[in-house]
Amino acid sequence: MLTLLASMYLVTQALSSQAEPIRVVVTGAAGQIAYSLLYGIARGDVFGKDQPIVLVLLDIPPMLPVLDGVVMELQDCALPLLRDVIPTDKVEVGFKDVDAAILVGSMPRKEGMERKDLLKANVAIFKTQGGALEKHAKKTVKVLVVGNPANTNCLIASKSAPSIPKENFSCLTRLDHNRASAQVAMRCSVSSDKVKNVIIWGNHSSTQYPDVHHAKVNAHGGEVPVYDAVKDDAWLHAGFISTVQQRGGAVIKARKLSSAMSAAKAICDHMRDIWFGTKEGEFVSMGVSSSGNAYGIPEDLIYSFPVQIKNKSWKIVGGLPINDFSRAKMAATAEELVEERDTAVEFLSQ
Ligand code: NAX
């Protein structure tokens, strides 16, 4: 009897000490990345195994019937952390009181569409969503932009939400980062966790610069610079870089669909690092606001840098020596972003 009472007490204690649910919105929730992503979030891969979640699924009106199917599947997963799932096509519902916003949905490039028209359509989407974040989200919300052009969309969302600190906005270059780590790991015949501190500089586009000058491989019981472990500078300066830059296109060519499983995994990695911090002595790549004070990159861009995260705040890793080869590539991708920003900002003011 006493044992029964004691265990009932423990259960009551456990229930009462359980955290309040956090509210997480995913946009483009009827799409293919979201289909791989939502399960990971709902089972606790991102915000922790003890953190209950209310998932808000935002998409456009024609996709509401599809969202209903996604809701049913999430329910059928019978996940204990998932307290509620709310499908919607309204930004004021989607962004209400959210703690985290993962903006996956964007306007895809259609056949014959000019780059400028694509940018214009996306500025309209991210201006609206930024405005809704400003109005309805918690001021502490962490916003991760995935939908392309991710860096510039992130900048537009941030500019449209001036009362939310711009440090709360970031864009996804973690997939490129993971691709770079995996390429080096395969080359050295080690598992990918044995490779650390690769860097993706700049834009999430084919001008991005995957850089391994500061990366290390843990092999034979010690850490060695990637250049010493790979022993093939020609590959590191050419084939490696273009493989990472072109990987998205290669996946589309093979699968007839763009990366989804790996994109979802990268989103989980990115948001989990924001929530819980990066490992001691390690850094990750993330598109974040450039203040103009790091590595000569102009201000007012969302540029991918190496960052370390503690207490939900990121810091750009400073002081890494940059050689001429790297500097030229970092500048080229910054130039593309400046051009993209200037066009987008013109549309923003229209
Ligand atoms: P899908 O076309 O499968 O899904 C996109 C979804 O977004 C659709 O359901 C669509 O209805 C919805 N959507 C469109 N406009 C919306 C709006 N205004 N509000 C809410 N939802 C809206 O694309 P998917 O493969 O899931 O890719 C989504 C985005 O991720 C694309 O822009 C893609 O280019 C981008 N990617 C970015 C990556 C990165 O590393 N930053 C890598 C993966 C991916 O390519």
Side-chain angles (χ1 to χ4, degrees), residues 15 21 40 48 64 67 88 104 142 146 150 175 204 274 311 320 333:
L15 283 177
L64 283 180
L67 275 191
T88 183
V104 181
K142 301 294 183 193
V146 179
L175 175 53
H204 169 70
I274 288 187
N311 300 325
L320 297 172
T333 186

Side-chain angles (χ1 to χ4, degrees), residues 136-329:
H136 304 289
K138 289 187 180 159
K139 298 299 172 202
T140 52
V141 64
K142 301 294 183 193
V143 184
L144 163 57
V145 178
V146 179
N148 280 319
N151 301 55
T152 302
N153 288 344
C154 184
L155 185 72
I156 297 300
S158 170
K159 282 183 184 295
S160 307
S163 70
I164 297 171
K166 50 180 182 233
E167 292 73 24
N168 293 18
F169 288 79
S170 57
C171 87
L172 189 76
T173 53
R174 185 60 170 269
L175 175 53
D176 310 298
H177 178 106
N178 288 350
R179 285 166 173 163
S181 300
Q183 286 298 318
V184 170
M186 286 189 284
R187 193 80 179 195
C188 299
S189 302
V190 296
S191 55
S192 58
D193 59 329
K194 298 285 191 282
V195 180
K196 69 175 194 185
N197 299 351
V198 303
I199 303 171
I200 303 297
W201 299 98
N203 200 359
H204 169 70
S205 76
S206 55
T207 67
Q208 66 175 257
Y209 171 43
D211 176 10
V212 289
H213 285 97
H214 314 283
K216 301 260 186 326
V217 178
N218 193 324
H220 317 298
E223 276 188 357
V224 275
V226 163
Y227 274 82
D228 296 346
V230 169
K231 297 192 181 74
D232 186 347
D233 291 13
W235 179 72
L236 285 172
H237 279 149
F240 160 73
I241 294 176
S242 61
T243 299
V244 176
Q245 286 173 333
Q246 309 294 336
R247 189 68 159 184
V251 169
I252 294 177
K253 197 161 170 231
R255 220 170 74 85
K256 315 283 179 262
L257 283 170
S258 56
S259 312
M261 176 171 50
S262 54
K265 157 68 166 55
I267 294 169
C268 291
D269 289 346
H270 178 123
M271 209 31 132
R272 192 183 49 245
D273 282 346
I274 288 187
W275 226 252
F276 294 109
T278 44
K279 289 186 199 146
E280 204 52 49
E282 292 195 19
F283 44 81
V284 294
S285 308
M286 220 174 245
V288 293
S289 175
S290 169
S291 62
N293 297 324
Y295 299 104
I297 303 305
E299 64 178 335
D300 198 27
L301 292 180
I302 298 287
Y303 186 97
S304 180
F305 286 103
V307 300
Q308 287 178 317
I309 304 166
K310 224 180 185 171
N311 300 325
K312 295 200 173 85
S313 298
W314 53 262
K315 241 176 135 174
I316 294 172
V317 177
L320 297 172
I322 305 292
N323 62 22
D324 290 346
F325 177 84
S326 295
R327 189 158 299 285
K329 292 199 168 330

